[in-house]
Amino acid sequence: MGTDGTPSLSLGRVTIADVAREAGVSVPTVSKVVNGRYGVAPTTFKRVMEVVAALGYETSLVAASLRRQQTNVIGILVAEFESFSVELLKGISSAATGTGYELLAYSALAPGGVSPGWERRSLSRLAGTLIDGAIIVTPTVLIPTTSIPVVAIDPHTGQAGPSAIDSDNVDAARVATRYLIELGHRRIAHIRGRSDLTSAQLRETGYRESLEEAGIAFDPALVRDGGYQAALTAEAARELLTRQDRPTAVFAANDMSALGVLAVAHELGLRVPQDLSVIGFDDVPEAARSTPQLTTMAQPLHELGAQALRMLVDLLGGNEVPQQVLLPAELVVRESTGPVPLGS
């Protein structure tokens, strides 16, 4: 006991024996208290919990899960912690308040970049002993039936998979492309996202549908793969912007790709939006901080995360949830888009 009457903190990990000794009770009594079992007097319970709080004692999550067959922890699996996933995490965290679940954010980024199949390996490590369910962000493979409930955000392309939540990508891409057309652009390029993601495929579909609605012939030479990767995006943008008949506008499948287009345009001496208009997709924080500020289709990232959390909690409670939920995106006009250049 410290000189001020509070329990003295020991060095290293606090054990259940440390708590029992400081509280003046037996180890089985401490075990009953921390595991919520009956048979402990209220005054003893209060004293043990005071010592638990003072020492910072935490039970072994793995050991507790083996006893109770649950952990009350939800895993958030991401390939890496970048702007898109961080914004989703904020929404997930806000929605978790009051649910009784804690969150474990887990990244399986391999050296050199995303390793396909990381989510399967992560689930095999965490499921059952560390987490009760998982939210997986932009998976690289189709997630088969697992031992725990799973919800996907921005799901992988496939005929079947876990319940998923996403933006209405087709409609959002239509809106983005239609906006450029209304500004007078007709040579509109598209830098695609990851081909294995439903969202990227649907964004290209929306782009092509808006061109068709406006009577503009689709030109495959104006479509390039960006894969949501900086190097691929830079290469694609350079190919498009150095063409003799270069596009006057670019619709990129996500904001980071659009920001890459802005960087290449600057390198080539092109003014945005006077010479080239650029529009992105997501509305990550960097979009409003770029020079010029990026026009984009704003996904409701916080709400996507919050909805995913609520869906997963419903699944954990044995309730049915929709196989797919779509949320609308909104056009945010900033400085990177303008009328088609004169003479184009």
Side-chain angles (χ1 to χ4, degrees):
M1 192 74 68
T3 56
D4 61 352
T6 59
S8 56
L9 296 178
S10 58
L11 296 176
R13 178 181 172 83
V14 178
T15 68
I16 193 171
D18 294 330
V19 175
R21 182 171 57 255
E22 294 286 358
V25 299
S26 67
V27 168
T29 296
V30 176
S31 178
K32 286 182 180 180
V33 171
V34 298
N35 288 289
R37 295 199 293 269
Y38 296 106
V40 180
T43 55
T44 302
F45 182 92
K46 182 174 183 292
R47 174 59 183 157
V48 170
M49 290 307 295
E50 288 174 348
V51 174
V52 165
L55 293 183
Y57 171 71
E58 295 183 5
T59 58
S60 166
L61 188 59
V62 174
S65 70
L66 291 174
R67 289 193 302 270
R68 302 195 310 266
Q69 300 300 306
Q70 68 181 60
T71 66
N72 290 335
V73 175
I74 288 172
I76 318 301
L77 278 56
V78 299
E80 58 181 317
F81 294 110
E82 37 68 47
S83 296
F84 178 79
S85 60
V86 168
E87 293 304 308
L88 291 171
L89 281 167
K90 292 177 183 177
I92 293 169
S93 177
S94 65
T97 303
T99 63
Y101 286 96
E102 297 179 358
L103 303 178
L104 173 65
Y106 185 87
S107 173
L109 181 61
V114 176
S115 175
W118 61 267
E119 50 282 278
R120 286 178 176 169
R121 295 189 291 273
S122 300
L123 282 173
S124 69
R125 293 190 185 105
L126 304 176
T129 56
L130 288 177
I131 60 175
D132 294 336
I135 296 172
I136 301 180
V137 180
T138 56
T140 59
V141 295
L142 187 63
I143 305 300
T145 302
T146 66
S147 61
I148 61 172
V150 172
V151 172
I153 298 177
D154 194 4
H156 186 275
T157 299
Q159 297 302 312
S163 293
I165 184 163
D166 206 349
S167 293
D168 189 340
N169 291 287
V170 173
D171 183 68
R174 284 197 202 104
V175 170
T177 309
R178 189 180 302 129
Y179 174 66
L180 294 173
I181 293 169
E182 290 170 352
L183 289 172
H185 297 278
R186 297 186 66 82
R187 290 192 57 74
I188 302 170
H190 178 51
I191 295 184
R192 292 187 285 219
R194 258 177 47 193
S195 61
D196 60 322
L197 289 178
T198 300
S199 60
Q201 295 184 3
L202 294 178
R203 288 171 199 178
E204 182 179 358
T205 297
Y207 157 77
R208 295 177 67 157
E209 286 182 357
S210 275
L211 293 179
E212 183 177 358
E213 289 169 3
I216 300 172
F218 170 70
D219 184 353
L222 294 180
V223 176
R224 291 288 190 279
D225 290 324
Y228 298 147
Q229 297 178 35
L232 280 179
T233 296
E235 180 183 351
R238 198 164 282 107
E239 289 177 0
L240 287 167
L241 300 184
T242 54
R243 292 174 58 95
Q244 186 174 1
D245 56 347
R246 64 172 176 80
T248 62
V250 176
F251 167 40
N254 74 341
D255 283 347
M256 301 315 290
S257 296
L259 294 173
V261 174
L262 291 183
V264 172
H266 179 73
E267 290 174 11
L268 297 175
L270 295 174
R271 299 168 302 161
V272 176
Q274 294 89 340
D275 302 321
L276 177 74
S277 287
V278 180
I279 187 168
F281 201 114
D282 284 338
D283 199 24
V284 297
E286 291 88 340
R289 297 198 294 260
S290 66
T291 303
Q293 294 181 332
L294 183 67
T295 296
T296 188
M297 294 304 302
Q299 293 198 75
L301 298 179
H302 290 192
E303 184 58 23
L304 283 169
Q307 285 267 32
L309 188 284
R310 289 191 283 266
M311 288 171 67
L312 185 57
V313 169
D314 280 345
L315 286 172
L316 288 165
N319 302 315
E320 291 188 5
V321 301
Q323 183 64 24
Q324 185 182 50
V325 174
L326 294 179
L327 299 181
E330 179 183 356
L331 175 64
V332 177
V333 177
R334 295 195 179 103
E335 300 169 345
S336 67
T337 48
V340 63
L342 293 176
S344 296

